[in-house]
Amino acid sequence: MTAFLKLLARNRLALAGLIVMGLVAGLALVTPILPLADPDVTDTANRFKPPFSEGALLGTDHLGRDLLSRLLHGTRLSLAVGIAAAVVAATLGAAIGIIAGFYGGRTDNVIMRGVDMLMAFPYILLALAIVAALGPGLMNALIAVAAVNIPFFARNIRGITVGIAHKEFVDAARLSGMTDARIILTEVLPNVVPVIVIAMSTTIGWMILETAGLSFLGLGSQPPQADLGSMLGEARSALISNPHTSIVPGAMILIIVMAINLLGDGVRDALDPRLRSGALSRPLPATEVRRKGPVPAHDGEGLLALRDLETRFHVKDRVYKAVGGVSLSVRPGECLGIIGESGSGKSVTALSVMGLVASPPGVITGGAVYYDGQDLIGAPYSTLRRLRGEKVAYIFQDPLATLHPLYTVGDQLIEAIQVHHPVAKSEARARAIDLLKSVRIPNAESRIASYPHEMSGGMRQRVGIAMALANDPDVIIADEPTTALDVTVQAQILAVLDDLRRDRGLAIVFITHDFGVVAQLCDRVAVMYAGRIVEQGRTDEILRAPAHPYTSKLMECVPELGEGRRRLEAIPGLPPLVDRLPDGCAFAERCHRVQPDCRQGELTLEATNDSRKVRCRHPEPITRERAS
Amino acid sequence: MAGYILKRLLSAIPVLLGITVIVFLIMALIPGDPATAILGSYATPENVEKLNRDLGLDKPLVQQYFIWLGNMLTGDFGTSFALNRPVLDEVLERFNATLVLAGTAFVICSVLGVAAGVVSAAQQYGLADKAITFVVLLGISIPSFFLGMMMILLFSVNLRWFPVSGMWPIYGARDIWALLDHLVLPALALAVVATGVIARLARSAMLEVLRQDFIRTARAKGVPERRVIWGHALRAAMVSIIPVLGIQAGFVLSGAVYIEMVFQWPGVGRMLVDAILKRDILLVQGGVVFVAACYVLFNIAVDVAQSLLDPRIKT
C-alpha cells in the first residue's frame, strides 16, 4: 500500500489531481460553516452583478443570488450525488457480479444476459428512460445514473470473481463447511475490493458529469436547490448577456472532473505493472546510436563487416551489455554461422546491423558495421531504410508473429518489392509468384492470396525467405529461421538457402543454437557467449577440434545418429547476467577447465592460426580429435 | 459474408426484444396511475378510467406488454398526447435531425481520435504526444454542454463565424451550405469527448502493436516509417479500435441530447427531454425503443466491418 502511494506520488499529474480534489472536497465540506450569503435568497434588484463586485466575489445570478455561495453549495451537492451514485452502482454492480461469478452456470447465464441487454442501450438514453418513469428530481437522477453504471461494475467484478471462485482457498473454505454467504464475505470480497475501488476511481468522474448533465437538462435537482449542472442549465438563457453565470459552474465541473481523471489515471498507472517496467514504449524506426569512443576503421575485409560492435539495453538504472565488442565479417557466397545459447547476444548482434534493435531500451554504444565500405551505424535513417531489404535482408524466427496477420502473403511480398522498385503492381505480383515458386511453395498462384494464419509453419517460413529474397539482396541475415520447425521441414529450408547462396552468390549470416545446422550450412562459425565471441574459425576445424571449453560443451549437446553410447550433455548452470559480468572469463563459473587465473583481467580473442581465434587462457588440448 | 450478416441480424432479435422488455418494465415503474400521470392531477376520475381503458392499462402486465409489442411491430407506436401526432412520425422526423448531427460528430471523432492517437503513439513522450495527451485530458473532462455554450460565446457571439443555434436559417434557403453552417459547432462540441476517448485508446492500441514482431519485419523490408505507422501498425491496431468506435457511437448518439438542448437542434434527444417534462410517456417509450434499436443495428454493422478487416474472424 505504501509502495502504491509512493508510485502515485511520483506521478506529478496524479498528485496535482489529488491536491485539487482534496481542496475542492475540503471546501465542499466546510461550506456550511463558511460566512457565505444564503444561496437561495433572491434579490432581483441586484441581479447579474459582475464578478468582484461589492459583497459578491463571483457576482450574482439572474435572481440576484450570490454566485460564490451557490457555487460552493452546488459543488457540495454535485460531489455528494456523484459519489453516492458511484457507491450505489459499485455496491449493486459488485453484488450482481460476485453472485454471477461465484455461482456460475445458469445463474451466471441469466444475470449476464440481462447485463448485456442493458449494455445494448446507448448509455444516456437509459438514464433518460429511468428519469422519465420516476419523474424529474435529484434523487431520481442519482438512481438513473447509478442504474446505468451497474452493468459496467457487474461485468468487471464477475470476471474477477470467476477467477477467484476456482482458487484453492475457496475450495478449502467450501470443504470446511462454510456457508456460501460466509465464503463470499470472507474469501471472495477482500480480493475483489481493490478492483472495485479502481473501477470507481475511473468512473466517478463520469458519474459527476452525468448527474450534472441530467440536472442541466432540468431533470435533476429542482429549483431553488441547485447542483452545478442545474446552475449551468439556468444560466443558459443569459449566456450571451451575462456569460459569467455560465462560466462559474461550468469551470467548476471541468476542474473537478479533470482532477478526478488525473487521479484515476495515476491510480491505474501505479497499478499496471507493464507501465512501470516501461515495456509499453514504442521502438524507434532505427536503433538509437550513442558511440563514445573512436569509430573503428574498415580493414577492407568482407562485404559485411562488424567491428567492435557494442549494443546495450538501458532499463531504468541498469545497463545490460548484450553485445560487448563483436567483430565479424562475411564474404559474398559465404555462410557464416553465429552460435550460442539463448541470451548470448547473437540475435541482438544481427539486429544491430540494420538498426533493428528495439530502442528504447536498445542503444548502440560503440563500433561500426561496414556494408560495402559504408558505415551503417552512423548512417542516417534514410540510408538505412534504402538498404534494408534491398541489400541486406532478414529472415526471422516464428513467421506467425513476424508476418503481418492482416495482409495476404502476396501483398506483403509485393510491398517488399514496391518499396524499393517503382514497378507496376501486376509486375510485382508476377515476381512474388516467382519468389514463392523459388522457395518451393506449391500452387504459388493461389497461395499468394492466403493469409499467414492459413498456412503451415514450414510454408510461412518459406514466405519469410521469399520476402527476404524479394529484391535479390547481397546479404541475408537469418535469425534462427528453422528453430520452430520439425526436422524434415528444417532440412528442406536449409537446402533452399544453400542453393540460393551457390546460385546467387549471397552472403548469409546464419544464427542458430544448433551445431547440427551449422555443420550442414556454414563455412565459418563464430561462437558467442555473454555478448562476446569466444571462438571463431572454419566450421570443419572447429567441429574437429573445438578449442574453447564452451564450444566443446555446446557440441556435446547435439545428438548424433548412430552414436548411442555418447551421453547427451547439458551445460550445467546458466549464462551470467549481462548487467553484472564477472571479471575475467564470463564462462569460468560453468567451465570444466577453469583455473584461478581465469577469473582475473580482460581476456582477448587470440589468433591461433590464420583463420582461427579463441578467447581462452586454457583451451582444450589441440590433440583431442573428435569422431571423424 | 451474407450468411454472417444474416446470422448477426438473427442474433439481434433477442437483444431487441430484451430492449422492449426493459423499456416496458421501466415504464411500469411509474409510481401511481399512468393515466393520472399523463392527464395531471386535476383530471376527472371518468377521464382517467377512459384513458386507462384506451391504453389497455386495465389488463394484466404481461398482456399489456404483448399488445404494446404487437402494435409496435405493425408500426403503431401510439399517439403523443402533448403533440397529438403519431409517435412514429414525430420520432422519425426528429431522429433524422439527430442522425445528421450524431453522424457528423461520429465521423469527426473517429477520424480525429484515431489520427490523434496514432500521432501520439508515434511520437511517444515527444512534444506532439504531450500536447495531444493534455488536450485529450481536457476533452474528456469538459462537459459537452458547457463546451457547447463556450463555443457559442466565442465563435458565434464574439467572432460571428457561425449561427448561434438551430438547424436551418429562419429566413433564406435550406440548402446544404446553410445546414453545414449550422452543423459545425454542435457537431464539434458533440465529438470532443468521444474524440478524447478514442484517441486514448488508439494511442495504447498503437503502442501495443508497434512492439510486435511484424512491425520489425516491415522495417527490415525497408518500408518507410510513415507507412509502417499508418499502414502496418494502424491496420493491426484497428482491430481493437473498431469495437470502441462502436461504443462511442452510442455515446455520441445519446450524448446528442445535451448538444441539442444547447444549440436548439430539433433532434430526438430534445424531443425526449420535452416529452419527459410533459410526462408524454408514449413518446418517451417510442423514442427510446427506436433509438436503442437503431444502435443495435449499428453495432451489427460494426461487427461486420470488424470481420471484413480481420480475416482471422470466422464468418
Side-chain angles (χ1 to χ4, degrees):
Chain A
M1 194 65 201
T2 45
F4 168 74
L5 286 176
K6 260 185 211 157
L7 268 170
L8 197 61
R10 212 184 301 159
N11 185 334
R12 253 178 291 161
L13 285 174
L15 194 63
L18 187 67
I19 292 169
V20 171
M21 208 45 236
L23 281 175
V24 172
L27 264 180
L29 277 178
V30 300
T31 299
I33 56 166
L34 289 179
L36 292 165
D38 187 315
D40 298 333
V41 170
T42 58
D43 177 10
T44 37
N46 282 317
R47 59 204 289 256
F48 291 133
K49 271 171 65 175
F52 307 115
S53 9
E54 179 78 42
L57 190 59
L58 292 177
T60 57
D61 72 355
H62 62 293
L63 294 175
R65 296 174 292 198
D66 180 46
L67 263 183
L68 178 65
S69 171
R70 281 182 74 73
L71 177 74
L72 290 179
H73 280 96
T75 303
R76 195 176 148 82
L77 199 56
S78 278
L79 280 181
V81 172
I83 293 170
V87 169
V88 171
T91 311
L92 290 179
I96 292 171
I98 288 175
I99 290 171
F102 185 78
Y103 289 101
R106 196 107 166 248
T107 322
D108 184 29
N109 226 330
V110 170
I111 291 178
M112 290 325 284
R113 275 286 163 85
V115 165
D116 285 345
M117 293 291 174
L118 283 174
M119 287 187 118
F121 275 92
Y123 190 74
I124 300 159
L125 202 63
L126 190 59
L128 284 181
I130 295 171
V131 173
L134 301 177
L138 191 55
M139 201 59 197
N140 294 343
L142 190 159
I143 294 171
V145 170
V148 296
N149 278 292
I150 287 175
F152 166 78
F153 283 97
R155 217 190 228 185
N156 275 346
I157 302 302
R158 176 195 167 266
I160 308 289
T161 310
V162 167
I164 294 169
H166 298 288
K167 285 264 166 69
E168 293 82 356
F169 61 86
V170 174
D171 290 337
R174 276 209 190 92
L175 288 174
S176 71
M178 278 162 90
T179 59
D180 284 353
R182 227 180 120 201
I183 297 175
I184 288 176
L185 285 178
T186 60
E187 306 293 330
V188 179
L189 196 59
N191 287 297
V192 176
V193 164
V195 185
I196 301 177
V197 171
I198 297 165
M200 263 178 75
S201 76
T202 51
T203 49
I204 204 163
W206 276 109
M207 309 244 196
I208 290 176
L209 265 185
E210 293 313 327
T211 37
L214 288 177
S215 287
F216 171 79
L217 296 175
L219 305 176
S221 74
Q222 301 294 313
Q225 184 197 46
D227 68 354
L228 295 171
S230 57
M231 280 178 76
L232 200 53
E234 286 172 23
R236 191 163 61 89
S237 49
L239 171 66
I240 294 169
S241 53
N242 292 284
H244 71 277
T245 53
S246 301
I247 293 173
V248 165
M252 185 53 117
I253 303 179
L254 175 62
I255 289 169
I256 293 174
V257 177
M258 191 143 155
I260 291 176
N261 281 339
L262 280 174
L263 191 58
D265 288 356
V267 169
R268 199 198 49 207
D269 290 357
L271 290 173
D272 191 335
R274 282 193 315 174
L275 287 164
R276 257 182 287 178
S277 70
L280 265 184
S281 42
R282 85 181 204 95
L284 293 167
T287 312
E288 195 186 334
V289 176
R290 282 204 301 253
R291 284 192 288 199
K292 287 180 205 93
V295 177
H298 187 31
D299 58 7
E301 197 187 309
L303 177 63
L304 183 74
L306 283 62
R307 289 285 163 264
D308 303 324
L309 183 70
E310 272 180 33
T311 306
R312 296 179 176 178
F313 292 107
H314 294 254
V315 181
K316 292 220 165 150
D317 12 300
R318 287 241 176 96
V319 176
Y320 297 85
K321 295 176 188 164
V323 181
V326 165
S327 298
L328 289 170
S329 66
V330 60
R331 289 186 296 273
E334 186 184 37
C335 179
L336 170 74
I338 302 180
I339 190 163
E341 288 167 285
S342 316
S344 60
K346 51 195 195 309
S347 288
V348 180
T349 305
L351 291 172
S352 300
V353 170
M354 281 308 195
L356 289 171
V357 178
S359 178
V363 184
I364 295 175
T365 48
V369 173
Y370 291 100
Y371 166 76
D372 208 13
Q374 182 187 12
D375 181 19
L376 299 179
I377 300 302
Y381 166 72
S382 57
T383 310
L384 271 183
R385 211 273 305 156
R386 237 181 23 249
L387 292 173
R388 284 176 180 175
E390 168 78 357
K391 297 295 180 195
V392 181
Y394 281 86
I395 304 170
F396 297 108
Q397 191 186 345
D398 186 15
L400 187 59
T402 54
L403 292 175
H404 198 294
L406 306 180
Y407 292 126
T408 62
V409 297
D411 284 345
Q412 299 189 50
L413 283 167
I414 290 168
E415 183 186 36
I417 298 164
Q418 284 185 323
V419 290
H420 293 296
H421 302 280
V423 297
K425 181 150 185 187
S426 56
E427 200 179 317
R429 189 171 183 280
R431 168 114 179 94
I433 291 174
D434 287 345
L435 283 167
L436 290 181
K437 284 179 181 159
S438 75
V439 292
R440 301 180 203 158
I441 289 184
N443 308 323
E445 286 85 355
S446 61
R447 272 310 198 173
I448 199 164
S450 303
Y451 289 94
H453 71 277
E454 296 168 339
M455 302 182 119
S456 68
M459 285 298 148
R460 277 197 293 265
Q461 192 60 69
R462 283 161 211 246
V463 172
I465 296 175
M467 204 143 81
L469 295 172
N471 297 300
D472 216 349
D474 299 334
V475 182
I476 282 192
I477 298 175
D479 188 358
E480 307 210 26
T482 58
T483 303
L485 305 176
D486 67 58
V487 186
T488 37
V489 180
Q490 175 176 321
Q492 289 171 0
I493 301 259
L494 292 181
V496 169
L497 280 175
D498 203 35
D499 288 353
L500 289 166
R501 162 166 83 109
R502 291 183 204 291
D503 300 347
R504 305 194 189 189
L506 264 176
I508 298 180
V509 178
F510 197 97
I511 294 154
T512 180
H513 56 251
D514 183 351
F515 253 111
V517 174
V518 168
Q520 273 184 58
L521 192 66
C522 300
D523 307 303
R524 286 188 302 126
V525 62
V527 183
M528 279 190 77
Y529 188 77
R532 296 181 142 185
I533 292 175
V534 293
E535 184 166 8
Q536 189 176 355
R538 282 178 39 205
T539 309
D540 52 347
E541 274 184 36
I542 287 183
L543 285 180
R544 193 166 15 144
H548 199 285
Y550 176 62
T551 315
S552 67
K553 280 286 177 195
L554 210 53
M555 282 165 59
E556 281 169 17
C557 297
V558 183
E560 283 173 60
L561 280 177
E563 294 274 325
R565 276 164 302 164
R566 191 164 64 82
R567 273 194 60 202
L568 202 56
E569 299 264 0
I571 308 175
L574 289 169
L577 292 170
V578 283
D579 63 327
R580 284 188 294 256
L581 284 178
D583 200 21
C585 176
F587 188 61
E589 275 309 308
R590 304 164 74 190
C591 185
H592 58 283
R593 297 179 58 79
V594 63
Q595 302 290 324
D597 65 333
C598 288
R599 301 183 199 271
Q600 287 151 21
E602 190 76 357
L603 277 81
T604 49
L605 194 61
E606 305 276 358
T608 54
N609 63 36
D610 54 341
S611 67
R612 191 91 185 260
K613 287 173 184 166
V614 65
R615 194 192 295 272
C616 183
R617 293 210 172 113
H618 304 283
E620 301 275 1
I622 301 293
T623 51
R624 189 177 157 196
E625 288 281 314
R626 308 280 300 179
S628 53
Chain B
M1 185 43 70
Y4 176 71
I5 295 174
L6 191 70
K7 213 168 71 188
R8 292 294 291 114
L9 282 173
L10 286 176
S11 74
I13 291 174
V15 180
L16 290 171
L17 283 177
I19 283 173
T20 60
V21 171
I22 289 171
V23 172
F24 183 80
L25 286 179
I26 290 174
M27 293 305 153
L29 284 177
I30 295 175
D33 187 0
T36 314
I38 290 164
L39 295 175
S41 44
Y42 300 112
T44 61
E46 296 82 52
N47 281 345
V48 168
E49 198 185 321
K50 179 176 179 300
L51 183 61
N52 270 334
R53 211 169 36 245
D54 288 352
L55 291 173
L57 293 176
D58 49 347
K59 303 199 172 65
L61 213 55
V62 176
Q63 204 179 339
Q64 280 182 41
Y65 169 72
F66 281 106
I67 293 171
W68 177 63
L69 183 67
N71 286 345
M72 274 198 307
L73 288 176
T74 56
D76 175 13
F77 280 58
T79 305
S80 154
F81 286 94
L83 304 167
N84 198 19
R85 152 169 214 213
V87 166
L88 191 60
D89 293 1
E90 176 73 8
V91 170
L92 282 175
E93 190 182 311
R94 294 299 202 108
F95 189 66
N96 236 348
T98 297
L99 212 54
V100 170
L101 175 63
T104 313
F106 181 67
V107 171
I108 294 173
C109 72
S110 306
V111 173
L112 275 187
V114 171
V118 171
V119 170
S120 204
Q123 312 278 324
Q124 192 189 16
Y125 305 135
L127 202 63
D129 183 28
K130 285 188 178 133
I132 289 172
T133 306
F134 178 73
V135 172
V136 160
L137 180 71
L138 208 61
I140 59 171
S141 303
I142 198 165
S144 61
F145 39 94
F146 179 53
L147 178 68
M149 288 163 77
M150 293 301 108
M151 284 169 102
I152 290 177
L153 263 187
L154 180 61
F155 296 111
S156 302
V157 178
N158 284 330
L159 297 172
R160 296 183 178 275
W161 288 356
F162 298 104
V164 171
S165 68
M167 186 170 174
W168 300 106
I170 302 168
Y171 308 106
R174 293 194 159 198
D175 57 12
I176 179 85
W177 302 114
L179 178 62
L180 281 178
D181 199 27
H182 283 79
L183 187 59
V184 172
L185 290 186
L188 278 177
L190 179 54
V192 162
V193 176
T195 306
V197 176
I198 292 168
R200 276 188 156 200
L201 185 102
R203 179 179 184 271
S204 61
M206 283 293 287
L207 286 178
E208 191 75 37
V209 166
L210 280 168
R211 288 160 44 234
Q212 304 282 323
D213 287 347
F214 58 79
I215 295 301
R216 190 183 62 196
T217 308
R219 286 175 171 161
K221 284 200 293 192
V223 176
E225 187 61 13
R226 180 181 301 234
R227 191 156 157 182
V228 170
I229 301 284
W230 294 94
H232 290 247
L234 180 56
R235 176 80 179 258
M238 279 315 277
V239 171
S240 40
I241 294 174
I242 282 186
V244 175
L245 293 186
I247 295 169
Q248 287 310 307
F251 276 85
V252 169
L253 190 63
S254 57
V257 56
Y258 302 128
I259 300 301
E260 288 172 3
M261 292 300 279
V262 171
F263 287 90
Q264 304 288 310
W265 192 268
V268 79
R270 230 177 96 207
M271 177 203 86
L272 283 177
V273 174
D274 289 345
I276 292 169
L277 291 172
K278 289 178 185 147
R279 314 289 292 149
D280 193 347
I281 300 302
L282 282 177
L283 191 56
V284 176
Q285 251 179 355
V288 170
V289 168
F290 186 84
V291 176
C294 288
Y295 178 57
V296 169
L297 293 179
F298 178 80
N299 268 326
I300 293 176
V302 171
D303 284 352
V304 172
Q306 181 81 331
S307 74
L308 286 175
L309 183 85
D310 190 345
R312 292 168 300 183
I313 293 175
K314 289 262 186 297
T315 57

